[in-house]
Amino acid sequence: MAHIAKLRMLLFSAFGPAIAVLLLLFFAGYVVLGSNGILAWGDYKRQLHNAQGELKQVQAHRQELKNRVDLLNPRRVDPDLSDELIRRELGVVHHDEVIVPLN
């Protein structure tokens, strides 16, 4: 009986540290394998790189649109752009004109 009591006391005394070690292993595994862990870091860097490339494209397109809007300012309209837009919308082209598309 004394051996069983000592064994039971030993198991009860080891129960707390065992739970602590298991929790530590769980959190360490989550640091490595979790959704925000070390292994996901490479994927986040790739997504950041792709997003930065897309941002550059959007900024370039935005700059083109801003330039076009500035050219259409009612106080100082660019005559070439206004002529191009009017002819395109109305379909007005003389028979002796040559149109050279730039695209």
Side-chain angles (χ1 to χ4, degrees):
M1 281 303 235
H3 291 297
I4 294 175
K6 284 183 183 180
L7 184 61
R8 184 174 288 170
M9 183 65 98
L10 181 65
L11 287 176
F12 281 134
S13 65
F15 185 71
I19 294 295
V21 168
L22 287 175
L23 282 174
L24 184 66
L25 288 175
F26 171 75
F27 287 122
Y30 191 75
V31 165
V32 174
L33 301 173
S35 61
N36 294 327
I38 294 172
L39 295 180
W41 191 16
D43 187 43
Y44 284 142
K45 287 179 81 173
R46 181 187 54 79
Q47 287 177 359
L48 176 64
H49 181 70
N50 291 343
Q52 286 174 340
E54 185 178 345
L55 176 64
K56 286 181 183 178
Q57 290 176 349
V58 169
Q59 285 176 338
H61 185 65
R62 182 176 184 255
Q63 185 61 35
E64 289 174 15
L65 290 175
K66 183 181 180 306
N67 184 31
R68 196 162 178 95
V69 166
D70 288 342
L71 290 174
L72 290 173
N73 187 351
R75 294 185 183 145
R76 49 182 168 78
V77 175
D78 182 41
D80 292 332
L81 181 61
S82 64
D83 184 50
E84 174 191 340
L85 289 174
I86 291 170
R87 288 178 182 269
R88 184 185 316 148
E89 290 298 318
L90 296 177
V92 179
V93 179
H94 292 92
H95 67 280
D96 61 343
E97 288 183 331
V98 177
I99 298 175
V100 180
L102 297 178
N103 294 343

